[in-house]
Amino acid sequence: MRILVTGGAGFIGSHLIDRLMNDGHEVICLDNFYTGKKHNLLKWLDHHNFEMIRHDITEPIRLEVDQVYHLACPASPVHYQYNPIKTVKTNVIGTLNMLGLAKRVKARFLLASTSEVYGDPEVHPQTEEYRGCVNPIGIRSCYDEGKRMAETLAFDYHRENNVEIRVARIFNTYGPRMLENDGRVVSNFVAQALQGIPLTVYGEGQQTRSFCYVSDLVDGLMRLMNGEHTGPINLGNPDEYTILELAQAVQNLINPDAQIKFEPLPADDPRRRRPDITKAKTLLNWEPTIPLQAGLKLMIEDFRQRVKNNN
């Protein structure tokens, strides 16, 4: 098939493209390189089945494809809060443009939504039926509300124009190729420990997250795209860790003597986050297979290489 991946040079997008290319598809990567890196796709640049287009999805584009994986949007608070209006535009106008493209060429469209649509949840763990608790005027709402709007658009295109949609709600994902200055907790801890600086824990570190290794997530996205279910479907690892436990796991793997320093909690930071993946298990026959310790080792190896190359 001809498959379009928006945000394809990013962390998750590039891992998805690896899988699609290895499966023999023709792949078009669309990226404006705001957080994506050409380096992530070096091995495919000369491949006859691969095409890379530098393009910002807030501008329309005409392409002929069978499937659209719509991943383009900065996903870490550091990047999406740097230019919040741009983040909203990417989520709303960008999604509108990509849904328009899917409608025109009758492509199946997968939206990479997020667990952030649940906000700071009052229900635990979060099922897809839960409607969330989001602050519409907070510093995170450009992303949270932007993704909620993207889901709205996807379902309206589905109901009004019969666009075949798939909606994935992605929970915290980690692995090789995350940006070192990403601001997300796993990359922060690994980069800090490798550089010998104290690991920053916000609050008392008792807030919880669930961490899914990137290859597991990509498998879930592909099963959702090629399955029979519209979604939304939670994709994430239901194992729940406190942030302090994560810091200690990274500390033990890299430098047991690393310091941990505590900083005040940022605004609207969710206290608990864990997916209920009953739907993914029953409808997609999917669940994560890579435990945190194993995934962290692979990620640390990748970060070590990069820290070495940067010096």
Side-chain angles (χ1 to χ4, degrees), residues 144-259:
D144 304 2
E145 294 287 25
K147 286 290 190 187
R148 285 161 72 98
M149 189 70 223
E151 287 195 14
T152 303
L153 286 167
F155 275 90
D156 285 338
Y157 264 78
H158 173 61
R159 286 185 286 254
E160 194 173 320
N161 301 311
N162 296 321
V163 175
E164 274 196 73
I165 61 162
R166 302 288 182 265
V167 176
R169 288 183 179 158
I170 299 171
F171 283 69
N172 289 49
T173 307
Y174 71 100
R177 302 182 199 158
M178 284 188 95
L179 295 173
E180 298 98 312
N181 62 346
D182 186 283
R184 281 184 282 194
V185 65
V186 189
S187 42
N188 271 6
F189 286 165
V190 172
Q192 287 170 339
L194 286 172
Q195 290 161 6
I197 52 183
L199 279 59
T200 310
V201 170
Y202 293 99
E204 290 168 10
Q206 293 311 298
Q207 64 277 43
T208 65
R209 295 291 184 273
S210 311
F211 302 101
C212 185
Y213 189 68
V214 64
S215 61
D216 279 335
L217 179 80
V218 164
D219 183 48
L221 290 174
M222 290 172 68
R223 285 178 190 229
L224 176 60
M225 173 66 99
N226 298 306
E228 297 306 310
H229 302 281
T230 299
I233 290 186
N234 289 338
L235 295 177
N237 194 321
D239 293 341
E240 191 178 2
Y241 294 89
T242 69
I243 297 300
L244 191 55
E245 285 170 338
L246 176 72
Q248 288 159 343
V250 171
Q251 196 183 22
N252 292 335
L253 285 169
I254 297 176
N255 174 10
D257 299 327
Q259 301 290 307

